[in-house]
Amino acid sequence: MRADFTERALRGLYSAALYVLVPATVYHLIWRGFRQPAYLQRWGERYGVYRTPPTNPLLWVHAVSVGEVNAAAPLVDALLARHPHERLLVTTITPTGSARVQALWGKRVEHVYLPYDLPGAVSRFLRHFRPRIGLVLETELWPNLLFGCRDHGVPALIVNGRLSERSLQGYGLLKPLLGRALRSLRGIVAQSQTDAERFLRLGASPRTTVVGGNLKFDIAADPQVQIFAREFRAAEGSRPAWIAASTHPGEEAAVLALHRRLRARWTDLLLLWAPRHPERFRPVAHAAAQAGFRTATRQMTHQPDAADDVFVVDTLGELARFYACADVAFVGGSLDDIGGHNLLEPAAAGTAMVTGPYLRNFADIAAQLEAAGALRIGADEAAVGDALEALLADAEARATMANAAQQLLEGGRGALQRTLGFVDGMAPAATAG
């Protein structure tokens, strides 16, 4: 009885705070909309309001944005294959995640934005779609959503679970509430033992917290990637190229400085530049041009010509292709204190890679890649430049790194089958096809 009272009190305080902040969510959507117009659309979904009638029960996967959607791809593909007559809903929070869902599956899946974690919005979402099972990717720990699944009888699991030390510490006052929410789940399938231990420290149940591996290892190779890369490099000839991928605003000046440094040695060096967020496409193209580099963009032209110094990849869903076009990759979110981005994508493309030091969101993978000799980590901008320069000058070292990465990828596969086994084992009634 006391535990129930404590839970209700904590949820009440948390929900009251969220309701007070509702005007801020509207402001946030408008503010983001000035930079990315898609944020001005489909507001009803953000608050659990739908114009269509309630649906029949379905399978549900939640992946917050592009990176999580890509990680979920093997799982969603497997669910579509195993349950061809079931409807499958994939939710995201960001428009870029929404666009990636549409690009990968089109009308094969249903898609809406996940509502804000308001009790009423969550209840409307769950009543409308009536999921038979909910699979929540990585670190989407929303208390009302998790409790709502329990209260509406939806077996819910966190899959590909990831929890950094900073995130764990950042939960602070929410820790007692999140601990109860995690224990309401059918289970947590963590990426690594370290992630599992952090979930346990947050309050998850040892009985239902298991290690399944990282689904990103199971992303199937796309043969079109290498075909595209061969055609791209044939058109570019022998000029070297490097890619700055998933960069953030705080790293943009460093990218330009690094390119200027590297071009002092390789005068025809091409920079392929893929900012993390679409609202940065135009600003980085402008910054490159202002810095004196002849700049083209993917939307302007299919491919840079011989006189272009910088080519901005201002499209979504093509990063893997352009990784394969580069001799060396710098993976962003790592010089600025963001926490890093997916390192397995350039590894799968066969491209040697360099990062900065901030890799807390991918610490386990980064450690494995570095230990295998497949990743070089620079302590600062100068060290990143040293690593890029050394690799551009050494084709044999690049090939050795690429081979080491491929071996690590092969050894890491199997998370998909383990995850599917946990899903079946923890919620057999929900997944019987």
Side-chain angles (χ1 to χ4, degrees):
M1 183 69 70
R2 183 175 179 180
D4 290 343
F5 175 79
T6 301
E7 179 186 308
R8 288 196 299 272
L10 290 171
R11 288 180 68 181
L13 289 171
Y14 168 75
S15 300
L18 290 185
Y19 278 119
V20 169
L21 293 172
V22 165
T25 67
V26 176
Y27 172 80
H28 172 77
L29 291 172
I30 295 172
W31 179 77
R32 292 299 301 267
F34 284 124
R35 293 157 178 79
Q36 197 173 348
Y39 274 99
L40 299 176
Q41 302 168 1
R42 299 164 55 189
W43 280 17
E45 296 172 16
R46 305 281 188 180
Y47 300 95
V49 177
Y50 310 97
R51 296 181 178 179
T52 56
T55 69
N56 293 322
L58 45 65
L59 306 178
W60 164 45
V61 176
H62 174 61
V64 59
S65 193
V66 174
E68 292 79 8
V69 172
N70 287 337
L75 179 61
V76 172
D77 288 339
L79 291 172
L80 289 170
R82 295 176 76 182
H83 307 282
H85 303 299
E86 294 249 24
R87 294 164 52 253
L88 196 151
L89 171 70
V90 181
T91 57
T92 67
I93 287 178
T94 68
T96 51
S98 175
R100 188 62 178 149
V101 169
Q102 295 302 315
L104 286 173
W105 299 293
K107 294 184 178 180
R108 296 176 65 201
V109 305
E110 298 185 31
H111 167 71
V112 295
Y113 291 128
L114 188 74
Y116 291 119
D117 202 37
L118 301 163
V122 168
S123 290
R124 287 190 293 273
F125 167 78
L126 293 172
R127 287 198 305 268
H128 186 88
F129 290 102
R130 295 191 289 170
R132 292 205 301 115
I133 186 169
L135 305 177
V136 179
L137 266 286
E138 300 199 359
T139 321
E140 284 291 271
L141 307 183
W142 298 106
N144 283 326
L145 179 68
L146 302 185
F147 283 126
C149 287
R150 180 199 65 187
D151 296 343
H152 286 78
V154 178
L157 299 92
I158 292 175
V159 297
N160 215 44
R162 172 172 61 88
L163 188 61
S164 70
E165 186 66 30
R166 177 177 288 193
S167 294
L168 175 62
Q169 299 302 322
Y171 283 120
L173 294 175
L174 284 178
K175 186 174 179 180
L177 181 63
L178 277 171
R180 286 174 166 81
L182 291 176
R183 291 192 294 275
S184 76
L185 294 168
R186 287 293 181 92
I188 297 170
V189 185
Q191 291 184 14
S192 69
Q193 185 62 42
T194 301
D195 291 306
E197 290 169 359
R198 290 188 183 126
F199 277 109
L200 293 176
R201 287 165 57 194
L202 192 56
S205 168
R207 184 175 59 83
T208 56
T209 301
V210 295
V211 178
N214 194 325
L215 288 173
K216 291 185 174 74
F217 281 103
D218 287 287
I219 295 174
D222 182 356
Q224 293 302 314
V225 167
Q226 294 302 328
I227 294 172
F228 178 90
R230 285 195 296 271
E231 293 174 350
F232 184 95
R233 296 314 302 262
E236 291 303 306
S238 60
R239 69 186 299 200
W242 72 291
I243 184 169
S246 297
T247 59
H248 290 254
E251 299 170 315
E252 291 166 5
V255 170
L256 291 170
L258 287 168
H259 192 47
R260 191 176 303 281
R261 168 185 168 176
L262 296 170
R263 280 178 65 88
R265 181 169 177 181
W266 294 277
T267 56
D268 61 343
L269 178 67
L270 173 66
L271 166 61
L272 304 170
W273 195 349
R276 178 68 176 177
H277 298 114
E279 59 264 32
R280 300 307 301 168
F281 291 163
R282 186 175 297 179
V284 300
H286 178 73
Q290 288 293 104
F293 297 118
R294 177 168 166 172
T295 303
T297 72
R298 176 70 165 155
Q299 292 193 44
M300 287 170 48
T301 179
H302 178 72
Q303 185 156 329
D305 64 35
D308 289 327
D309 307 317
V310 176
F311 187 67
V312 177
V313 183
D314 57 347
T315 52
L316 297 175
E318 292 196 301
L319 184 54
R321 292 182 173 189
F322 282 99
Y323 270 133
C325 295
D327 296 298
V328 184
F330 164 70
V331 183
S334 60
L335 265 179
D336 202 5
D337 190 6
I338 302 298
H341 291 299
N342 185 5
L343 299 172
L344 295 180
E345 199 165 21
T351 304
M353 60 190 136
V354 177
T355 72
Y358 299 106
L359 298 166
R360 63 179 178 275
N361 293 333
F362 296 88
D364 183 64
I365 289 175
Q368 291 182 58
L369 287 166
E370 187 180 31
L375 171 68
R376 296 191 184 182
I377 301 172
D380 52 26
E381 177 187 326
V384 166
D386 292 343
L388 290 169
E389 188 168 355
L391 288 170
L392 283 169
D394 192 339
E396 185 176 345
R398 298 197 303 269
T400 298
M401 290 181 71
N403 183 61
Q406 290 294 322
Q407 291 184 30
L408 187 65
L409 281 171
E410 287 300 319
R413 296 189 190 281
L416 174 61
Q417 291 307 315
R418 287 191 291 273
T419 298
L420 289 171
F422 292 134
V423 170
D424 291 343
M426 293 181 187
T431 58

